[in-house]
Amino acid sequence: MGLLNLFVASSMPVLKVLLVTAVGSFLALDHVNLLSEDARKHINTIVFYVLNPALIIGNLANSITYDSMVKLWFMPINVFLTFLIGSLLGWLVNLITRPPPHLRGLVIGCCAAGNLGNILIIIVPAVCKEKGSPFGNPSVCTTDGLAYASLSMAMGAIFLWVYVYNIVRISVEASSIDVNDSSDNEYTSETTAVKPDCITEPLLSPEKYNTSEDSEDSLPCTRFDETKQLGFTDKVKQNIVKISRKLNVKRLFAPSTNGAIVGFIVGLVPMLRNSMIGDEAPLRVIEDSTMMIGDAAVPVLTLIIGANLLKGLRASGVQKSMVIGIIVARYIALPIIGTLVVRTAVKFNLVHADPLYQFVLLLQFAVPPAMNMGTITQLFGKGESECSVIMLWTYVCATISLTLWCTYFMWLVA
């Protein structure tokens, strides 16, 4: 297949995403105000709790079987490697650009956490429908591609809230401690500087208050030598409680993750699958209703991405070297390393020969940062404007980067 045809097939989905994103940005302008900040919050809530889970449930339940589970075992490892390698690249970006302490976790998060769900759900079906696509039957390609993208979204959500959320939390807390320590040191130095040197007599006379130099011997003393020894099980329970609080288990089981669990159960349990999936299933109306709701996720997500990116145009004062470093890490270094990882896995027969599956694995290394990074910065109240600027420029650059990498990846797997 010619390289020009592959370029056209890969550029069309990106252009479609760009056009719909531009519509979302237009609707969020002040003089239009159809996607105001309050409207975006409500729509984001609907997408987060309803549309995304419905899309994941429908696609996984349709395509997940025991045979496909054997084929997909490498995807969680691949997602883990994207986070691991991205974290190392983010650490290098911090080392070179030296951003403020409260932004170091944000830099690592943007390099580690890619948009492993929304972008794949938008791009993969669009690539399948192009005439120059190397992935065969468009309907089969779309069904399998959405299943791969749905599993990718679920795994990305788990790693995002388990790992990246806590990286940003630690960075913000460490910077707050540093600020408090510096303010305390300044206060101590100021009080020390104004301490008078002429006072040589005690301010309170021991005779007046009937105290003596040995009065401290008569004060009661509380001893903590005999502390209660906790048993092994109690210590384990305490550690589990501490870890669960730090990991924020409630966010770990996000609606997308729960949707993936339900999709796996329906797809793998024969009784449930036979009753809901297929044209002859007695409860097929449940599947049809779920798919109808999930189909709305893709256009709504694209509009919201465009509206959210508009905030980056209004922010200022962000370190340019930091933004450039993230772009280089995500769009140059990470895809190159990811290509080596996936091709090595294919060479050792760790990944089956499905070109679409290999394409999705490769694409996981080339997507822009996860949009949920903005949500995480909002939770901690630090780095929101900087995150908006990072999202703006990384997604602008993604229009070119994704087109080139998609072309190369399709040529590689074809």
Side-chain angles (χ1 to χ4, degrees):
M1 184 174 292
L3 192 62
L4 180 60
N5 292 334
L6 291 176
F7 179 79
V8 172
S10 61
S11 61
M12 288 301 153
V14 178
L15 289 175
K16 292 176 183 176
V17 173
L18 183 62
L19 289 175
V20 180
T21 302
V23 173
S25 299
F26 173 77
L27 296 177
L29 293 174
D30 291 335
H31 64 276
V32 178
N33 204 28
L34 289 178
L35 283 178
S36 62
E37 186 173 355
D38 290 336
R40 291 198 301 271
K41 288 181 180 179
H42 294 310
I43 297 176
N44 269 319
T45 303
I46 295 174
V47 170
F48 184 70
Y49 285 102
V50 180
L51 301 186
N52 273 349
L55 184 66
I56 292 174
I57 292 172
N59 290 307
L60 286 181
N62 268 299
S63 56
I64 290 297
T65 60
Y66 286 106
D67 293 335
S68 63
M69 283 293 296
V70 174
K71 296 179 181 179
L72 297 178
W73 71 270
F74 186 76
M75 182 173 287
I77 298 176
N78 195 69
V79 174
F80 169 74
L81 291 176
T82 63
F83 278 78
L84 178 62
I85 299 170
S87 298
L88 296 176
L89 295 174
W91 176 77
L92 288 176
V93 172
N94 281 332
L95 195 65
I96 295 172
T97 62
R98 299 184 181 277
H102 69 281
L103 296 180
R104 292 171 187 170
L106 174 63
V107 172
I108 294 176
C110 288
C111 292
N115 195 330
L116 298 176
N118 302 347
I119 291 295
L120 295 182
I121 286 174
I122 294 169
I123 288 181
V124 173
V127 170
C128 291
K129 295 174 183 177
E130 289 298 320
K131 293 182 180 179
S133 172
F135 302 126
N137 189 332
S139 61
V140 176
C141 173
T142 301
T143 302
D144 292 342
L146 284 175
Y148 300 154
S150 298
L151 179 58
S152 176
M153 174 185 284
M155 297 306 304
I158 293 173
F159 284 108
L160 178 74
W161 293 108
V162 170
Y163 174 67
V164 174
Y165 172 85
N166 288 284
I167 288 291
V168 177
R169 177 184 61 81
I170 292 171
S171 174
V172 172
E173 290 178 353
S175 64
S176 301
I177 292 174
D178 292 340
V179 171
N180 292 334
D181 289 343
S182 61
S183 61
D184 291 343
N185 292 334
E186 291 176 1
Y187 175 77
T188 304
S189 62
E190 290 176 359
T191 55
T192 305
V194 299
K195 181 178 179 180
D197 298 328
C198 58
I199 297 179
T200 56
E201 296 290 334
L203 294 178
L204 299 178
S205 173
E207 292 82 359
K208 183 176 180 180
Y209 291 95
N210 297 323
T211 60
S212 62
E213 295 179 356
D214 298 330
S215 60
E216 59 181 1
D217 295 335
S218 61
L219 295 176
C221 179
T222 304
R223 298 183 179 273
F224 298 95
D225 296 333
E226 299 179 358
T227 56
K228 181 181 179 180
Q229 297 294 328
L230 294 176
F232 176 76
T233 56
D234 295 330
K235 291 181 179 179
V236 171
K237 290 179 181 178
Q238 283 188 350
N239 291 331
I240 291 175
V241 171
K242 290 180 181 179
I243 293 173
S244 64
R245 288 175 179 174
K246 291 182 178 180
L247 290 181
N248 201 333
V249 178
K250 183 179 179 181
R251 294 193 178 276
L252 170 61
F253 289 97
S256 298
T257 308
N258 296 332
I261 295 173
V262 174
F264 276 117
I265 293 174
V266 174
L268 295 176
V269 177
M271 184 173 63
L272 293 176
R273 183 178 184 84
N274 294 333
S275 62
M276 296 184 186
I277 308 301
D279 295 334
E280 303 298 328
L283 300 179
R284 61 185 179 276
V285 66
I286 298 178
E287 178 206 2
D288 294 339
S289 301
T290 303
M291 294 298 296
M292 188 184 349
I293 296 173
D295 288 341
V298 174
V300 173
L301 281 171
T302 314
L303 289 174
I304 291 298
I305 288 175
N308 289 336
L309 292 180
L310 191 64
K311 295 188 295 184
L313 292 173
R314 299 167 180 169
S316 59
V318 180
Q319 189 176 341
K320 294 181 180 178
S321 60
M322 179 182 70
V323 179
I324 295 173
I326 294 173
I327 291 173
V328 171
R330 281 229 64 98
Y331 296 144
I332 298 177
L334 192 59
I336 292 175
I337 299 173
T339 303
L340 297 176
V341 170
V342 176
R343 297 306 293 175
T344 302
V346 172
K347 183 178 180 181
F348 287 98
N349 294 323
L350 300 177
V351 176
H352 64 91
D354 182 8
L356 179 62
Y357 182 54
Q358 296 179 21
F359 175 74
V360 173
L361 293 178
L362 291 166
L363 200 58
Q364 287 175 340
F365 287 92
V367 292
M371 292 299 296
N372 277 331
M373 289 304 304
T375 304
I376 292 176
T377 56
Q378 289 175 0
L379 290 174
F380 295 109
K382 285 192 175 182
E384 295 179 60
S385 60
E386 292 87 351
C387 184
S388 299
V389 174
I390 292 172
M391 290 294 143
L392 172 66
W393 291 110
T394 51
Y395 275 77
V396 167
C397 294
T399 58
I400 300 174
S401 173
L402 274 177
T403 301
L404 297 177
W405 282 114
C406 284
T407 304
Y408 175 69
F409 291 155
M410 283 195 289
W411 172 82
L412 195 64
V413 301

